[in-house]
Short mmCIF file of all heavy atoms in Angstrom, two decimals:
data_model
loop_
_atom_site.label_atom_id
_atom_site.label_comp_id
_atom_site.label_asym_id
_atom_site.label_seq_id
_atom_site.Cartn_x
_atom_site.Cartn_y
_atom_site.Cartn_z
N THR A 67 42.08 8.82 -3.93
CA THR A 67 41.45 7.62 -4.49
C THR A 67 41.37 6.49 -3.47
O THR A 67 40.49 5.63 -3.56
CB THR A 67 42.22 7.11 -5.72
OG1 THR A 67 43.58 6.86 -5.34
CG2 THR A 67 42.17 8.13 -6.84
N LYS A 68 42.27 6.51 -2.48
CA LYS A 68 42.21 5.46 -1.45
C LYS A 68 40.99 5.63 -0.57
O LYS A 68 40.33 4.67 -0.19
CB LYS A 68 43.49 5.48 -0.63
CG LYS A 68 44.73 5.08 -1.43
CD LYS A 68 45.99 5.14 -0.60
CE LYS A 68 47.20 4.76 -1.44
NZ LYS A 68 48.47 4.86 -0.68
N ALA A 69 40.70 6.88 -0.25
CA ALA A 69 39.51 7.17 0.55
C ALA A 69 38.27 7.31 -0.31
O ALA A 69 37.15 7.43 0.22
CB ALA A 69 39.73 8.44 1.37
N ARG A 70 38.43 7.29 -1.63
CA ARG A 70 37.33 7.51 -2.58
C ARG A 70 36.62 8.81 -2.25
O ARG A 70 35.38 8.85 -2.08
CB ARG A 70 36.37 6.32 -2.59
CG ARG A 70 37.04 5.05 -3.05
CD ARG A 70 36.12 3.86 -2.97
NE ARG A 70 36.84 2.63 -3.24
CZ ARG A 70 36.42 1.43 -2.88
NH1 ARG A 70 35.27 1.32 -2.23
NH2 ARG A 70 37.11 0.36 -3.18
N LEU A 71 37.42 9.85 -2.14
CA LEU A 71 36.90 11.14 -1.70
C LEU A 71 37.55 12.25 -2.52
O LEU A 71 38.76 12.27 -2.73
CB LEU A 71 37.21 11.36 -0.23
CG LEU A 71 36.96 12.75 0.35
CD1 LEU A 71 35.46 13.04 0.38
CD2 LEU A 71 37.56 12.87 1.74
N SER A 72 36.70 13.17 -2.97
CA SER A 72 37.20 14.39 -3.58
C SER A 72 36.59 15.58 -2.84
O SER A 72 35.47 15.48 -2.32
CB SER A 72 36.83 14.46 -5.06
OG SER A 72 37.31 15.66 -5.64
N THR A 73 37.35 16.65 -2.78
CA THR A 73 36.84 17.86 -2.15
C THR A 73 36.95 19.03 -3.11
O THR A 73 37.87 19.08 -3.94
CB THR A 73 37.61 18.19 -0.85
OG1 THR A 73 38.99 18.39 -1.17
CG2 THR A 73 37.48 17.08 0.17
N LEU A 74 36.00 19.94 -3.00
CA LEU A 74 36.05 21.20 -3.74
C LEU A 74 36.04 22.30 -2.68
O LEU A 74 35.04 22.49 -1.99
CB LEU A 74 34.85 21.32 -4.67
CG LEU A 74 34.78 22.61 -5.51
CD1 LEU A 74 35.94 22.67 -6.49
CD2 LEU A 74 33.45 22.71 -6.25
N HIS A 75 37.16 22.98 -2.56
CA HIS A 75 37.30 23.99 -1.53
C HIS A 75 37.11 25.37 -2.14
O HIS A 75 37.68 25.69 -3.18
CB HIS A 75 38.68 23.90 -0.87
CG HIS A 75 38.83 24.81 0.29
ND1 HIS A 75 38.20 24.59 1.50
CD2 HIS A 75 39.52 25.98 0.44
CE1 HIS A 75 38.51 25.56 2.34
NE2 HIS A 75 39.30 26.41 1.72
N ILE A 76 36.29 26.15 -1.45
CA ILE A 76 35.99 27.52 -1.90
C ILE A 76 36.68 28.49 -0.93
O ILE A 76 36.46 28.40 0.29
CB ILE A 76 34.48 27.76 -1.90
CG1 ILE A 76 33.79 26.73 -2.80
CG2 ILE A 76 34.16 29.19 -2.35
CD1 ILE A 76 32.35 26.49 -2.45
N THR A 77 37.47 29.37 -1.47
CA THR A 77 38.20 30.33 -0.65
C THR A 77 37.65 31.73 -0.87
O THR A 77 37.50 32.18 -2.00
CB THR A 77 39.69 30.33 -1.01
OG1 THR A 77 40.21 29.00 -0.82
CG2 THR A 77 40.47 31.31 -0.13
N ALA A 78 37.33 32.39 0.22
CA ALA A 78 36.86 33.79 0.17
C ALA A 78 35.76 33.96 -0.86
O ALA A 78 35.91 34.66 -1.86
CB ALA A 78 38.04 34.73 -0.11
N ALA A 79 34.64 33.30 -0.61
CA ALA A 79 33.54 33.23 -1.59
C ALA A 79 33.08 34.62 -2.04
O ALA A 79 33.04 35.57 -1.25
CB ALA A 79 32.37 32.47 -0.99
N VAL A 80 32.72 34.68 -3.31
CA VAL A 80 32.11 35.88 -3.88
C VAL A 80 30.78 35.48 -4.53
O VAL A 80 30.56 34.30 -4.85
CB VAL A 80 33.03 36.55 -4.92
CG1 VAL A 80 34.26 37.14 -4.25
CG2 VAL A 80 33.41 35.58 -6.01
N HIS A 81 29.92 36.47 -4.74
CA HIS A 81 28.58 36.18 -5.24
C HIS A 81 28.59 35.42 -6.56
O HIS A 81 27.73 34.57 -6.81
CB HIS A 81 27.79 37.50 -5.41
CG HIS A 81 26.41 37.28 -5.92
ND1 HIS A 81 25.39 36.73 -5.15
CD2 HIS A 81 25.87 37.51 -7.13
CE1 HIS A 81 24.30 36.65 -5.86
NE2 HIS A 81 24.54 37.12 -7.07
N ASP A 82 29.59 35.71 -7.41
CA ASP A 82 29.66 35.07 -8.73
C ASP A 82 29.82 33.56 -8.65
O ASP A 82 29.61 32.86 -9.65
CB ASP A 82 30.82 35.65 -9.55
CG ASP A 82 30.50 37.03 -10.07
OD1 ASP A 82 29.33 37.46 -9.94
OD2 ASP A 82 31.41 37.70 -10.59
#
Side-chain angles (χ1 to χ4, degrees):
Chain A
T67 57
K68 293 179 181 178
R70 297 176 188 160
L71 170 68
S72 179
T73 60
L74 180 65
H75 186 72
I76 302 156
T77 302
V80 292
H81 180 72
D82 285 351

